[in-house]
Amino acid sequence: MILIQGFGRILAMLAIALMTIVTVVDVAEARRAGSGFGSRGTRTFTTPSTTRTSPTEAQPIDRTMTRQQSAQPSAGRNTTATNQRPGLFGGFGGRLLGGLMLGGLVGMLLGSGLGGGIGFLGLILQVALIAGLFFFLRRMFAQRNAPAYAGNGQARSAYQTGGSDFEIPRIGGGARQAAAQPKSNDEIGIQQADLEQFESLLKELQAAYAAEDFRTLRQITTPEAMSYIAEELSDNATQGLKNEVKDVHLVQGDVAESWREGTDEYATVAMRYESIDVMRDRSTGSLVSGDPDNLTEAVEIWTFLRRDGGEWKVSAIQGVANA
């Protein structure tokens, strides 16, 4: 009997450890899924308009200090709510299920039984089945709710046909084209000088990020965006890693929308750029990930903020769903 009770306690401890690991993995996956930070003012929780450069929707901003209650839909715009209903095992139901499972395990550790060692084996089997069902249903619902978008080849042909509203040639190319006339969702009327500053901020931020130049980063970003960038740099340093970004040049970009909020002016811009982007070991400099010899392409949605007619600063950065 003593042997059976000891065996049951060991299995209970292993089950609790398994539940903890599942929770950690779930949080890690949620963190990787989120790819937006900063603030877009009252439009923080609405989806920017798609453009030729970014024909697919931007990922939602999941790291922000903006209160969601302050987000107001703009007149004449179709907005997409980013607050989705909890999944089948999310919210209160998930917490209740986890509480019941954990309560049963703790009860066994305190000697309340549930059928002894044999009964506990049955509970372990139930836990495994529930966990398997949970992951299956979560993946199924995630695939069902995933946005539809064109593949890389279709996206490339989409923004290569015709001129975009904000088109910047490669470095060393010919003369720049004049800025297009403001569109209905370009309330400010972005000019060529603004476009050139957006391109400059793209390069400055990438270079300062790679050099871990906090002084420059503070000068070209809002305090909120800076806090999240500093957090990412701190995480890299804690893991003994250093992000190396160089040879950045903008291939194409266009204005998704611009608007005013009092004396503040916002401009959200889709930018497709190429760069050498690798991760190296901080101590040895050895390559951890990425290709140091070939350019990689990225499409991101950057929001810039100008206050009281001052200089533009980076306010938010969002990723774009990949095929």
Side-chain angles (χ1 to χ4, degrees):
M1 178 63 69
I2 295 177
L3 179 62
I4 293 177
Q5 291 179 350
F7 181 67
R9 291 176 183 271
I10 292 174
L11 289 179
M13 294 174 65
L14 291 175
I16 291 177
L18 176 62
M19 290 176 63
T20 303
I21 292 174
V22 169
T23 302
V24 171
V25 170
D26 192 38
V27 171
E29 288 185 358
R31 182 176 181 181
R32 287 194 297 269
S35 57
F37 67 84
S39 174
R40 298 180 64 238
T42 58
R43 301 188 184 185
T44 298
F45 300 101
T46 62
T47 304
S49 303
T50 57
T51 68
R52 290 187 180 91
T53 300
S54 176
T56 61
E57 289 188 350
Q59 298 285 0
I61 294 178
D62 60 353
R63 289 183 291 168
T64 182
M65 299 177 188
T66 303
R67 291 181 176 273
Q68 188 162 6
Q69 292 85 344
S70 66
Q72 300 293 335
S74 302
R77 293 181 69 249
N78 292 327
T79 59
T80 302
T82 58
N83 239 11
Q84 299 179 357
R85 296 179 58 187
L88 184 60
F89 292 96
F92 176 75
R95 291 193 295 270
L96 178 61
L97 178 60
L100 291 174
M101 295 170 61
L102 185 60
L105 295 174
V106 171
M108 298 192 72
L109 289 174
L110 296 177
S112 60
L114 283 180
I118 302 301
F120 182 78
L121 290 177
L123 178 61
I124 291 295
L125 179 60
Q126 294 178 35
V127 170
L129 291 174
I130 292 174
L133 179 62
F134 167 75
F135 284 112
F136 172 76
L137 291 177
R138 189 180 66 175
R139 291 182 182 278
M140 181 180 68
F141 281 104
Q143 293 176 355
R144 179 178 299 177
N145 295 329
Y149 45 80
N152 286 337
Q154 294 175 335
R156 183 181 298 273
S157 62
Y159 51 61
Q160 283 181 347
T161 57
S164 68
D165 300 311
F166 165 29
E167 189 166 330
I168 297 180
R170 294 177 179 272
I171 295 176
R176 297 180 182 274
Q177 298 178 356
Q181 294 299 319
K183 299 180 296 182
S184 59
N185 55 351
D186 180 8
E187 301 173 12
I188 297 174
I190 298 300
Q191 303 299 314
Q192 183 63 37
D194 299 317
L195 305 182
E196 293 174 356
Q197 190 172 0
F198 297 155
E199 179 186 12
S200 177
L201 286 171
L202 167 69
K203 297 176 181 178
E204 287 183 50
L205 189 144
Q206 297 287 11
Y209 186 90
E212 299 180 348
D213 183 354
F214 287 86
R215 180 180 178 181
T216 299
L217 288 170
R218 282 193 295 268
Q219 292 174 347
I220 63 177
T221 63
T222 62
E224 179 178 351
M226 176 62 197
S227 69
Y228 295 119
I229 293 173
E231 180 183 357
E232 291 182 1
L233 290 173
S234 176
D235 288 342
N236 289 343
T238 301
Q239 299 173 34
L241 301 173
K242 192 174 189 303
N243 195 190
E244 179 182 290
V245 185
K246 60 182 182 180
D247 298 340
V248 179
H249 72 271
L250 185 63
V251 177
Q252 181 175 335
D254 45 21
V255 177
E257 55 195 19
S258 69
W259 69 99
R260 290 185 178 88
E261 296 181 10
T263 59
D264 294 343
E265 294 180 331
Y266 289 88
T268 295
V269 182
M271 295 193 286
R272 178 167 61 95
Y273 64 93
E274 294 178 337
S275 65
I276 299 291
D277 189 346
V278 299
M279 193 72 74
R280 294 187 180 276
D281 184 274
R282 180 173 291 269
S283 301
T284 64
S286 59
L287 183 67
V288 176
S289 63
D291 188 343
D293 301 319
N294 295 296
L295 294 169
T296 57
E297 184 178 282
V299 178
E300 294 175 340
I301 309 299
W302 288 42
T303 296
F304 303 91
L305 169 63
R306 179 167 60 187
R307 285 182 168 160
D308 298 321
E311 296 293 321
W312 289 105
K313 293 190 175 184
V314 178
S315 177
I317 299 177
Q318 297 167 261
V320 176
N322 294 320

